[in-house]
Amino acid sequence: MAADRYDAPKREKHWQRVWEERGVFRTAEDPEKPKYYVLEMFPYPSGRIHMGHVRNYTMGDVVARYKRAQGFDVLHPMGWDAFGMPAENAAMAQNVHPAKWTYENIATMRAQLKSMGLSLDWEREFATCDVAYYHQQQKLFLDFYEKGLAYRKTAKVNWDPVEKTVLANEQVIDGKGWRSGAPVEQRELMQWFFRITAYADELLEALDGLERWPEKVRTMQANWIGRSEGLLITWDLEGKKLPKKLQKLEVFTTRHDTLFGASFMAISPEHPLTAHLAKRSKRLAAFVAECRRMGTSEEAIERAEKQGFATGLFAVHPLEPGRKVPVYVANFVLMDYGTGAIFGCPAHDQRDLEFARKYGLDVLPVVIPEGADPATFEIGDEAYVGPGRLANSDFLDGLTVEEAKEAMAARLEAMGVGKRSVNYRLRDWLISRQRYWGCPIPIIHCPDCGVVPVPREDLPVTLPEDVTFDKPGNPLERHPSWKKTKCPQCGKAATRETDTFDTFVDSSWYFARFCAPHAETPVDRQAADRWLPVDQYIGGIEHAILHLLYARFFTRAMKATGHLGLDEPFAGLFTQGMVNHETYRDKAGNWRSPQEVRIVHSEEGRRAFLKESDEEVTIGAVEKMSKSKRNTVDPSDIIARFGADTARWFMLSDSPPERDVEWTEEGVQGAWRFQQRVWRLIGELEPRIKAEAAGVVGAAGAGEGGGHRERTPPSDLGPEAEALRRAAHRALRDVSRDIEGLRFNRAVAHIHELTNAISAAQKSNTPGMDWALAEAITLLIQLLGPMMPHFGEECWARLNYNTLLADEPWPRPDPALLVDDMITIAVQVNGKRRDELTIARDAGREEVEAAALKLDGVMRAIGGREIKKIIVVPQRIVNVVA
RNA sequence: GCGGACGUGGUGGAACCGGUAGACACGAGGGACUUAAAAUCCCUUGGGGGUGACCCCGUGCGGGUUCGAGUCCCGCCGUCCGCACCA
């Protein structure tokens, strides 16, 4: 037996070499064929691949191989999202240059990916930190800048005073820098932005057309863009002398129907009016400082109590000049949404209600729910936000909320104090990073000419290599000479922009670059027009919002600058689930890795023990693989032990791809056993199907030319051989359908079924069985080929085919074998299944009824009662109502 | 709080348009082979009852629509995810 084991790790290297030598997966660029672009989100070169990559790239590879076999010209490239902070962190920690660190990681990970046997076109590989790539990105930036899609403005940033650097929100923990631990300051810095808000509406509307995107992602993006229609209302201010600019206060609202319920105004602590007032009030200045302090911590803001500061100012109600409401500075009003000022209507907004209760302000209901009495309707602890009719509201009384909004908007617009307006939650994309390991922003600052783009002929602006990471701050900023240059316009001494791009910029157009990765322009228009959009994009749900939204924006911006001819980059999107694993903890409370643990199945269930000491460890929750919980499994270990095909097969088999999968040793073993089982099966069948060589193996092996293979079965097939043929062709239909729909777990189940059918049929020696077995096993190998590609080749060769399985066309089922003449349907009595009926597929209603009523189980269940009705659903079910 | 998804055996999960619930796999139990183990093969495996053919119950809980509901509708309970003072 041992001799008949398939030695996966050894044979996999062989087939990888064969594919590479023959250039099997080089993109054909054959205009005769229909194109198919399948792309997985490219990895960050962190050092080693993890199981999440294995899952992601296996799925993409199955699709790529399947589509190739279907006759598509497939583009399936790979690259590296190679800029970013970890390289700089490594530089600081280990004194290694970010470039060296990054390219070494890439080399390691490339080798790991190659060991997976992915059908990638490696000739198109690039890293975003390659000068050749970021050179093109700088060109794109200049084009965007000229179109007004990139601009500079001051913005508040999280500043770490020790590291002397800007921190991303997620790097601020409890108001302190994640590395330094120093309290983070809010600083105003000049920053670069992309004008993504210019496309807010378009990005939102186009979501409807993305039919092959998960509903969930579309919803998330829609919420992120957060469009709301409302009204800008201008109020006059009284009570203090104010400079002219500040005498009017503009607010944005979506509930202008409740204007008659207004009882206060609130402005943001960062509002210009606040700033003006704070100059004359120490107490207000202190209040503002307090709000700012709270503002640095995301958590603190969450449940912070509503607080206000009465300014002494009053706003005049636009429709009732006699009515004046107090103006507060309030900590819950955001400066960067709307106008940074609101009017408060406590009866119909929960926040306003809490605020009003705290400061003793009026709560006047103006929307009355259907059926309630306006005279007695009162607001308690909860604001009423539902539908109803207006009351206490002058000309709006009796109108519905929608009608009242319309009437109010019309009235205020006519008076010149209202303006219909659309607001978005989406803000412009801040792309400046004060870091070294990123694409330099190709701009020069001249004391006389101001902001001057680097002339195109001077591109690329490359990163200096001689940088140090021993001090905090941006190495580009403190480099002795790099930023010193001359103004391209006036020739005077000037400085380079030292900000680099957010790495999301790099990943926003890489899919377009893959179409022609060596082009002298960012995108080769002809290649992009052929290949884009990406037909199937596969990646993690964590990129549902930012990466995918930025890529959608980039595609539009690149269209506006003539680089692309389409709006949406990804026609189909699939988001795969995570890879999880059990966690283990020893008695001391330390996390233990799966490699250190032995699992025992006892009567009380599963127990875990340390291999080294036999100490029992507690089995904890199944969680996402992470270094901190030590519940990771290294793909290379698995590949070395079982082979890549086993890892791939397991990744596809257990869970629906969009859901999380739990990596288990038992599951891997099961996958490995299945592979060995098929191998043994072929070994056992070899003598029988070799005898049929002329009929199936030889004839099929001789087939050439990309079409599907015609097989002519012998005319004397017995019923058992016929049944096997049906099972095989059904499996072919089902697996094809499941791969098409990315339901890999179901495809695997159907392959198992076919394997079981072959195993069972193997025992039979009835007429034609040898031929049917040869056909079934051939189809089996073809079906599992995209999932276990090396093993597929090995089996294909063993079946004496003289082609590469990777070059084989996908087989087509024989339609005649997919319909049965005789079918078995259930027969119910009063909705309960009592028997089943095997009958000719095309039997008529009367025939079915008569046969059903004669069944033992049916007669017993009716028990002599009167039959009221018989429902016959052809080829489905019979239900006798008695 | 708002938005969304989901809830099926010991486990992961199947079940198309409302039509035989539990495919397929893992795990478990029993048996064969073996000196023994591993590997492999065979049988059993939702719960309960019956010698048996069979019968009853069963898809988170409670109702409803229907000849028929895991699937549709209403109301709960629970889990997960996203957003979170967005005016």
Side-chain angles (χ1 to χ4, degrees), chain A residues 24-25 27 34-40 56-77 117-121 535-538 648 739-740 742 744 785-787 789 805-808 810:
Chain A
V24 176
F25 302 122
T27 315
K35 70 95 183 178
Y36 196 88
Y37 186 177
V38 55
L39 183 68
E40 300 97 53
N56 190 177
Y57 300 144
T58 299
M59 289 179 191
D61 197 45
V62 172
V63 174
R65 286 175 180 270
Y66 172 76
K67 288 291 176 182
R68 238 178 76 80
Q70 291 245 302
F72 287 88
D73 188 5
V74 170
L75 175 58
H76 186 211
L118 303 170
S119 63
L120 292 164
D121 181 355
D535 295 278
Q536 186 64 60
Y537 195 35
I538 309 177
R648 294 170 58 122
I739 292 178
E740 203 84 52
L742 309 178
F744 305 113
M787 307 186 198
L805 179 57
D807 285 333
E808 278 296 301
W810 196 251

Side-chain angles (χ1 to χ4, degrees), chain A residues 132-407:
Chain A
Y133 183 79
Y134 74 71
H135 178 185
Q136 304 302 327
Q137 187 161 302
Q138 290 173 341
K139 291 186 197 165
L140 281 180
F141 172 81
L142 294 181
D143 290 344
F144 288 10
Y145 181 70
E146 280 166 18
K147 275 264 171 191
L149 291 169
Y151 68 97
R152 239 157 65 108
K153 70 172 179 187
T154 60
K156 255 194 322 179
V157 293
N158 301 308
W159 179 259
D160 185 322
V162 173
E163 298 279 328
K164 293 194 173 56
T165 187
V166 170
L167 298 178
N169 283 335
E170 57 272 18
Q171 292 167 341
V172 181
I173 299 154
D174 286 333
K176 298 188 175 85
W178 67 296
R179 179 188 290 276
S180 69
V184 169
E185 297 167 15
Q186 301 284 297
R187 276 207 187 175
E188 293 273 340
L189 282 186
M190 207 50 156
Q191 304 270 290
W192 285 97
F193 288 84
F194 279 142
R195 207 180 295 282
I196 190 171
T197 54
Y199 293 92
D201 241 338
E202 225 189 282
L203 289 167
L204 180 67
E205 305 251 307
L207 287 171
D208 282 342
L210 297 174
E211 282 158 23
R212 288 172 50 228
W213 279 42
E215 192 60 47
K216 182 189 166 106
V217 174
R218 291 193 278 170
T219 311
M220 283 164 73
Q221 293 216 348
N223 292 340
W224 188 261
I225 295 167
R227 180 194 154 98
S228 54
E229 288 179 26
L231 203 63
L232 287 168
I233 305 176
T234 309
W235 301 59
D236 287 325
L237 294 178
E238 284 184 359
K240 280 185 184 172
K241 280 221 154 131
L242 290 170
K244 200 158 191 204
K245 268 200 208 153
L246 296 173
Q247 282 168 7
K248 289 181 187 298
L249 184 63
E250 193 172 50
V251 303
F252 175 74
T253 180
T254 57
R255 289 305 304 270
H256 34 288
D257 54 309
T258 66
L259 190 60
F260 284 101
S263 59
F264 68 93
M265 308 290 285
I267 60 176
S268 164
E270 287 141 32
H271 196 278
L273 178 58
T274 310
H276 174 79
L277 296 170
K279 277 186 252 166
R280 283 172 192 75
S281 164
K282 281 216 170 67
R283 281 179 50 236
L284 177 55
F287 177 77
V288 170
E290 171 69 11
C291 292
R292 185 169 298 166
R293 201 181 57 76
M294 299 288 286
T296 57
S297 156
E298 297 265 327
E299 277 84 43
I301 205 169
E302 216 164 274
R303 286 284 155 231
E305 210 186 325
K306 311 264 170 294
Q307 284 188 14
F309 184 96
T311 60
L313 287 169
F314 288 86
V316 182
H317 196 282
L319 293 168
E320 294 180 336
R323 189 162 152 199
K324 293 172 175 126
V325 297
V327 179
Y328 288 81
V329 176
N331 64 346
F332 65 91
V333 180
L334 306 172
M335 190 58 221
D336 38 11
Y337 186 81
T339 61
I342 61 161
F343 81 80
C345 176
H348 305 293
D349 183 289
Q350 194 57 32
R351 287 160 315 182
D352 295 351
L353 182 63
E354 284 170 34
F355 191 82
R357 293 288 190 230
K358 181 161 177 175
Y359 294 101
L361 301 163
D362 290 345
V363 179
L364 175 67
V366 290
V367 177
I368 311 298
E370 209 67 49
D373 178 4
T376 56
F377 182 70
E378 275 187 32
I379 298 292
D381 287 338
E382 290 205 3
Y384 179 71
V385 294
R389 294 200 179 264
L390 274 286
N392 305 319
S393 293
D394 192 358
F395 66 100
L396 301 178
D397 282 356
L399 299 181
T400 65
V401 167
E402 281 314 307
E403 291 163 350
K405 278 185 186 174
E406 180 52 39

Side-chain angles (χ1 to χ4, degrees), chain A residues 466-484:
Chain A
D466 51 334
V467 283
T468 53
F469 295 90
D470 50 349
K471 280 183 264 182
N474 182 354
L476 287 181
E477 183 69 46
R478 63 165 182 268
H479 189 279
S481 58
W482 183 79
K483 71 175 174 183
K484 289 177 190 155

Side-chain angles (χ1 to χ4, degrees), chain A residues 600-621:
Chain A
V600 174
H601 292 274
S602 71
E603 284 172 16
E604 306 95 272
R606 299 174 75 245
R607 296 170 68 184
F609 298 88
L610 285 182
K611 284 179 186 163
E612 48 174 36
S613 65
D614 271 347
E615 181 197 322
E616 179 157 11
V617 295
T618 38
I619 299 180

Side-chain angles (χ1 to χ4, degrees), chain A residues 714-736:
Chain A
S715 53
D716 61 338
L717 283 187
E720 289 185 42
E722 184 77 13
L724 179 60
R725 291 204 74 206
R726 288 179 183 281
H729 283 254
R730 240 185 352 253
L732 171 55
R733 176 196 61 193
D734 294 343
V735 170
S736 308

Side-chain angles (χ1 to χ4, degrees), chain A residues 727 731 734 746 748-758:
Chain A
D734 294 343
R746 279 155 60 172
V748 165
H750 285 126
I751 291 175
H752 278 138
E753 276 175 324
L754 176 56
T755 310
N756 292 343
I758 295 173

